[in-house]
Amino acid sequence: MEKVYVAIGNDVQEGFATLEWTLRKWSSSQISIVILHEDINKDYLYTYYGKLPASYVNDESVDYLNRFEQGKANKILNQYIDFCGQVQTETLNIEKYNKPLPKRIIQLISGLQIHKLVMGITFLKSSSQKNNNLFNVLKYIQRKKSDFCELYLISGGKLFHLKERNNEEVIEDDQGEMVAKLDKKRGSFNGWIGKLFPENGKSNQSSCSLTSTNSVPTWEECVEKVEEYFGQLDLCVDEEPETVQASSDILIEPNIPKHLNSIQRIEFLRIKLGEARDVLHVKRREARESAIRYSKAEWAINMCESRALDLEARKNEEAAKQRDFEKDLDTLKQEITENQIWLQQNRSKLNSTLEIQKELSKKLKSVTLAKSHSEEQLKKMIAERGSMILEIENLRKQKDVMRRRIEFCRDKDAIEMVTRLNDLQFSYKEFTADEIRAGTENFSDHRRIKCSGDFTNVYRAQINHTTVVVKLYDSRTKQVSDEEFDNKVKILSRVQHPHLVAMHGFCRELKCVVFEYMHQTCLQNVFFSGTRKKQALNWHARVCIAADVCSGLTYLHLARPTLKVHGNLNLSNILLDHNNVAKLHGFRLDSSYSESDIRSDIRDFGSLVLQLLTGRNWSGSVNEVLDQLVADWPLEVAMEMARIGIRCGPTYGEDDMYTGMATVIKDIENVKKMADDRLADGGCLEMPSFFACPILRDVMKDPYIASDGFSYELSAIKQWLVMGNNASPMTKLELEHKRLTPNHSLRSLIQDWHKKRSIPF
């Protein structure tokens, strides 16, 4: 049920007209009415002698008159409630306090969340004694009210609006016709408001008759007259008792002596009648003087009231200034307290730093002594180094044997796992079309992945807070049936290998498959993009890529029960992850293969190996040179790689040409072992554990130190803090502060590690 708030003044007829308009306005809606009325003015009393300040009357009279006025107000409110009939009606009293009535109305609108407010024009009469002030009050309420509040101004049971027309302020009725126009010289709607409040015009005329000019005198101009009036008032109060006593004696019925005859009695009464006439003339003169004194008293009271209001406004202004000064003082005190705390903290940190400096100086002395002792031990260690080198050679040979055994066991386990998976029915997550569209932003072009500068039917998507790749198999140029799509999904679900792009799920409605996302680019972009120099791969990374591709291709050729071929092995179908691990995708998903398809895959692999050596498309000439962007190619490794690539090609003799990938992978593994041994002599490529961000679990690019002492990727730790986490990601304890410090030393180490591995940073 919607609430309609109706503000009604002291005019009963205007109140009934306002309520009638409200009931007629919402006659077709179910509403409840809240009648807003202003509390009675307890500072002044309405007596038979006019409006008097409450301080001039005793307490008993004040209580009696206030109860009388409150009873009248309650009786009028009950009449209003009875007038509303069956509509649920309640009243709300607006108490009087220092703030003006317009500001109290604005506070009520925001405090009670008033959405519909019907305001009678007489409701504002008490707060604006002048016509132009009433108009300013209306403009103030319309300008300051909340946007959600609908304000209806009612006068005489009709709706009116305050608007501007041709740079003139006018009053229009609900039909849009102008009722009155603002008099710019006087700044008021005197004619219109005079019609609304005829008594207002009379009071204005009477007040104007008391003054010689229209201007309002100031307190400074009238203070002497007011003091003179109060002096005369004291004299009148002292003289008043004699006059009252004398007049009362004369007005008492005369006591006629009994011994007088009728003629004497008549003469006696005539004398008394003359005396009464004289007293009557005196009384009339005193009445005129009292009227003059009353007008002067009313004038003095009005001047004192205006002066009191002015002083009260100044007092409120000074109180507001004092409150502002107190707030500023509290703010300064708080800042001083914070600065003192900060100074104390810095002083404690400085003391701890000095203590650490003392400890370091002591440790420096002990380190100096330990250094001399270490130099002696170093001589002994140099002597032992020769024997250790021999032991290392023996351990390296044992390591090679163990590595071969481990790789054999891994391959055996992988083949067994694939065999078990082929026997089971595939069960991957089936995504809905809405999830795919939301993740790809409705297949937006900026989500489409480019390869060699051309757009593909592959999109980068964000599904369940994970970055994946969505590949469409159904397009305008190529239609795929449901049966064909199910066969493709079934084949992809059974093909699982570390060097094949893994499938996460599919969407049967859009005929698309969701794969894992490879963060690096394809080899085509590495070798032939404009930023090739920045993305150059070192010689060891190229050998590892050749071994990864060979491993994935061998798995396809040896798959059981049905072997598979790639059919389109090129640089675009080889993707790299963060650590330059290569994975294949885009292989054929049918089951019709021939010997020529296997030979084609072997030839394509040979071309790939030669492209890794030369850094460009191999034209079939043996005289191709090594890629100039890669320095320090080991000659024996490069020669073995070239031999493998040429043996895979058609230009080699048919007797020595590879007939299957099983033979190729053996030679590639030997070359990779040779490359690992050569690289082991120059340093280790294993990533130190402290290079990885504890949140992202990946190598950091911009490491920053948090208050827990651990280093994090800047974007990751910022996101952690923005999400409202106040605890450390590592220790789970509350962080002392949220300030972050760049770790330049760790960043330099990571950059050096990347340069050695030639990974784009």
Side-chain angles (χ1 to χ4, degrees):
M1 183 181 296
E2 187 174 17
K3 280 189 178 182
V4 178
Y5 291 79
V6 183
I8 298 177
N10 297 327
D11 193 332
V12 179
Q13 298 300 325
E14 183 69 20
F16 283 126
T18 304
L19 286 173
E20 182 181 3
W21 182 92
T22 304
L23 295 172
R24 188 171 63 252
K25 169 70 175 177
W26 285 280
S27 60
S28 60
S29 303
Q30 187 175 7
I31 63 170
S32 64
I33 294 178
V34 180
I35 299 176
L36 302 176
H37 64 94
E38 192 174 13
D39 195 8
I40 61 173
N41 192 349
K42 296 183 180 179
D43 297 332
Y44 294 91
L45 300 175
Y46 295 90
T47 66
Y48 297 105
Y49 304 103
K51 179 180 176 182
L52 296 177
S55 59
Y56 288 8
V57 185
N58 58 42
D59 294 340
E60 294 181 358
S61 300
V62 169
D63 294 338
Y64 171 76
L65 293 174
N66 284 337
R67 287 196 302 272
F68 178 74
E69 292 294 330
Q70 189 65 47
K72 288 171 58 179
N74 293 337
K75 184 177 180 181
I76 295 173
L77 291 176
N78 292 331
Q79 293 177 1
Y80 288 156
I81 294 174
D82 295 338
F83 181 79
C84 294
Q86 296 181 354
V87 178
Q88 182 179 348
T89 308
E90 58 181 311
T91 61
L92 179 61
N93 182 25
I94 304 176
E95 296 181 357
K96 287 181 175 293
Y97 59 101
N98 293 334
K99 290 189 177 181
L101 180 62
K103 291 187 177 180
R104 284 181 277 162
I105 294 174
I106 298 301
Q107 289 181 349
L108 280 176
I109 292 174
S110 60
L112 299 177
Q113 295 292 306
I114 299 177
H115 290 268
K116 286 182 172 54
L117 176 60
V118 180
M119 185 179 297
I121 191 67
T122 56
F123 182 71
L124 300 173
K125 180 185 175 185
S126 61
S127 65
S128 55
Q129 299 297 331
K130 297 182 180 180
N131 297 338
N132 57 348
N133 191 21
L134 175 62
F135 177 72
N136 293 332
V137 168
L138 294 175
K139 287 180 63 178
Y140 175 82
I141 295 175
Q142 281 193 340
R143 186 175 67 255
K144 294 292 185 178
K145 71 179 183 64
S146 303
D147 294 336
F148 58 78
C149 179
E150 299 178 10
L151 179 62
Y152 303 90
L153 301 176
I154 306 299
S155 175
K158 295 182 180 180
L159 178 68
F160 69 93
H161 308 277
L162 301 179
K163 293 186 177 180
E164 290 188 2
R165 182 188 294 177
N166 298 328
N167 296 327
E168 293 182 344
E169 296 174 338
V170 299
I171 294 178
E172 294 182 355
D173 58 10
D174 53 353
Q175 303 297 327
E177 297 182 0
M178 184 177 67
V179 177
K181 182 170 64 175
L182 177 66
D183 188 354
K184 293 186 176 179
K185 294 182 179 179
R186 298 182 180 180
S188 63
F189 295 95
N190 287 328
W192 177 71
I193 298 180
K195 294 177 182 178
L196 294 178
F197 309 115
E199 71 278 5
N200 204 20
K202 293 179 181 179
S203 63
N204 288 341
Q205 292 176 1
S206 62
S207 63
C208 290
S209 63
L210 296 176
T211 59
S212 60
T213 61
N214 293 329
S215 60
V216 179
T218 61
W219 173 258
E220 288 76 8
E221 297 174 355
C222 301
V223 61
E224 295 180 359
K225 296 180 180 180
V226 172
E227 292 178 354
E228 181 181 356
Y229 167 74
F230 280 116
Q232 295 175 358
L233 185 63
D234 294 336
L235 295 175
C236 293
V237 171
D238 295 336
E239 296 173 358
E240 187 175 0
E242 291 185 8
T243 306
V244 174
Q245 181 66 31
S247 60
S248 60
D249 294 339
I250 297 174
L251 293 177
I252 295 175
E253 183 178 359
N255 188 10
I256 303 173
K258 295 181 179 180
H259 63 274
L260 297 178
N261 57 24
S262 59
I263 297 173
Q264 291 176 342
R265 290 182 178 179
I266 292 171
E267 185 64 24
F268 179 80
L269 291 174
R270 185 180 292 112
I271 294 170
K272 290 294 181 179
L273 182 62
E275 293 177 356
R277 286 195 188 98
D278 295 338
V279 171
L280 183 62
H281 287 298
V282 172
K283 287 294 182 181
R284 287 179 179 174
R285 185 176 66 255
E286 290 178 354
R288 287 193 296 270
E289 293 176 355
S290 296
I292 295 172
R293 286 198 301 272
Y294 177 77
S295 62
K296 289 183 179 180
E298 186 176 8
W299 171 80
I301 290 172
N302 291 332
M303 291 301 299
C304 292
E305 285 180 353
S306 62
R307 178 60 174 174
L309 293 175
D310 184 32
L311 293 176
E312 186 174 3
R314 293 183 183 181
K315 182 187 73 173
N316 294 334
E317 184 179 356
E318 292 296 330
K321 290 182 180 179
Q322 184 176 1
R323 287 193 296 271
D324 293 338
F325 289 148
E326 290 177 355
K327 290 181 181 178
D328 295 339
L329 182 61
D330 293 339
T331 304
L332 290 175
K333 289 181 179 178
Q334 185 177 1
E335 291 179 357
I336 292 172
T337 304
E338 292 177 355
N339 291 332
Q340 290 176 349
I341 294 172
W342 178 82
L343 184 61
Q344 186 66 28
Q345 291 176 350
N346 288 339
R347 186 179 290 112
S348 61
K349 289 181 180 179
L350 180 60
N351 294 332
S352 61
T353 303
L354 293 175
E355 292 178 359
I356 293 172
Q357 184 179 2
K358 293 179 181 178
E359 293 179 359
L360 290 176
S361 60
K362 294 179 181 178
K363 289 183 179 180
L364 181 61
K365 295 179 180 179
S366 62
V367 168
T368 305
L369 296 175
K371 179 183 177 182
S372 59
H373 181 66
S374 298
E375 288 177 352
E376 295 178 358
Q377 291 183 348
L378 181 61
K379 294 178 181 180
K380 297 179 181 179
M381 292 173 64
I382 292 174
E384 296 175 356
R385 181 177 179 275
S387 59
M388 291 177 64
I389 290 174
L390 296 176
E391 293 179 2
I392 289 172
E393 290 296 332
N394 294 330
L395 292 173
R396 184 176 295 172
K397 292 178 182 179
Q398 295 177 7
K399 174 187 172 183
D400 294 337
V401 175
M402 295 300 296
R403 184 175 61 187
R404 291 173 186 173
R405 291 181 180 177
I406 291 171
E407 291 177 355
F408 174 79
C409 293
R410 285 179 179 174
D411 293 340
K412 182 180 178 181
D413 293 340
I415 293 172
E416 290 177 356
M417 181 184 67
V418 171
T419 304
R420 290 195 301 271
L421 290 174
N422 289 334
D423 295 336
L424 299 174
Q425 182 181 2
F426 71 93
S427 57
Y428 282 81
K429 176 175 175 59
E430 182 174 357
F431 295 93
T432 63
D434 293 337
E435 289 178 324
I436 299 299
R437 290 192 180 98
T440 60
E441 296 180 4
N442 201 14
F443 298 100
S444 175
D445 284 340
H446 78 273
R447 287 278 185 178
R448 185 179 291 187
I449 296 176
K450 286 184 178 181
C451 187
S452 300
D454 298 327
F455 283 106
T456 62
N457 60 342
V458 181
Y459 295 83
R460 185 179 70 257
Q462 193 78 16
I463 301 177
N464 296 332
H465 306 288
T466 304
T467 305
V468 295
V469 170
V470 177
K471 182 175 182 180
L472 290 173
Y473 285 92
D474 193 0
S475 61
R476 297 178 181 177
T477 59
K478 184 179 179 181
Q479 300 293 327
V480 178
S481 64
D482 293 339
E483 183 178 359
E484 291 176 344
F485 179 75
D486 289 340
N487 290 333
K488 292 180 183 293
V489 172
K490 184 177 294 185
I491 293 173
L492 288 172
S493 66
R494 291 176 176 174
V495 176
Q496 297 182 1
H497 190 269
H499 297 296
L500 296 179
V501 178
M503 179 182 109
H504 288 334
F506 62 96
C507 176
R508 184 172 283 105
E509 181 180 349
L510 299 177
K511 291 185 177 60
C512 62
V513 178
V514 179
F515 294 95
E516 67 174 321
Y517 178 70
M518 304 295 288
H519 293 79
Q520 296 285 29
T521 182
C522 63
L523 279 180
Q524 181 74 20
N525 290 342
V526 172
F527 287 105
F528 302 104
S529 65
T531 59
R532 184 189 172 198
K533 290 184 179 180
K534 297 181 181 179
Q535 296 179 340
L537 299 170
N538 63 17
W539 64 270
H540 185 267
R542 300 188 186 204
V543 174
C544 293
I545 290 172
D548 295 342
V549 174
C550 184
S551 176
L553 191 59
T554 303
Y555 168 79
L556 292 176
H557 286 191
L558 298 179
R560 295 293 181 270
T562 304
L563 63 86
K564 298 173 180 61
V565 297
H566 193 284
N568 190 22
L569 184 61
N570 53 45
L571 298 178
S572 300
N573 289 328
I574 300 173
L575 305 179
L576 303 178
D577 65 2
H578 277 307
N579 298 319
N580 284 347
V581 175
K583 295 188 179 184
L584 300 178
H585 82 105
F587 52 87
R588 288 169 54 180
L589 299 178
D590 52 25
S591 57
S592 59
Y593 306 113
S594 62
E595 189 67 18
S596 61
D597 294 330
I598 297 176
R599 294 287 185 113
S600 177
D601 278 354
I602 296 174
R603 287 195 298 270
D604 292 341
F605 177 75
S607 299
L608 170 67
V609 172
L610 295 175
Q611 286 176 338
L612 290 171
L613 281 171
T614 61
R616 50 187 175 273
N617 289 328
W618 183 61
S619 61
S621 173
V622 184
N623 297 323
E624 295 283 351
V625 296
L626 298 177
D627 191 354
Q628 297 299 320
L629 294 178
V630 181
D632 300 331
W633 260 101
L635 183 59
E636 63 274 21
V637 176
M639 290 178 64
E640 286 297 319
M641 288 282 289
R643 184 182 65 82
I644 293 173
I646 294 173
R647 285 189 63 185
C648 292
T651 59
Y652 205 79
E654 293 183 358
D655 296 336
D656 293 332
M657 184 178 177
Y658 289 120
T659 58
M661 290 303 297
T663 309
V664 178
I665 195 170
K666 292 181 181 179
D667 293 342
I668 283 292
E669 287 178 351
N670 293 331
V671 176
K672 186 175 182 299
K673 178 181 177 301
M674 184 188 305
D676 291 341
D677 293 340
R678 182 64 179 269
L679 188 67
D681 296 336
C684 181
L685 286 178
E686 291 294 329
M687 181 192 74
S689 60
F690 59 89
F691 282 8
C693 174
I695 300 176
L696 300 178
R697 305 296 181 185
D698 199 0
V699 182
M700 290 181 284
K701 296 181 180 179
D702 196 5
Y704 270 69
I705 303 174
S707 60
D708 59 356
F710 291 92
S711 295
Y712 304 90
E713 180 66 28
L714 179 60
S715 59
I717 190 62
K718 278 188 176 180
Q719 184 66 24
W720 175 272
L721 296 176
V722 168
M723 291 172 63
N725 297 314
N726 295 324
S728 168
M730 294 294 292
T731 63
K732 305 304 180 184
L733 299 177
E734 186 175 358
L735 295 171
E736 294 182 2
H737 55 79
K738 295 184 179 180
R739 294 191 297 272
L740 303 174
T741 305
N743 194 339
H744 298 295
S745 301
L746 181 57
R747 178 182 173 87
S748 299
L749 292 175
I750 294 174
Q751 287 177 342
D752 294 340
W753 181 75
H754 276 294
K755 289 178 181 178
K756 291 180 181 179
R757 303 180 75 250
S758 297
I759 297 177
F761 183 66

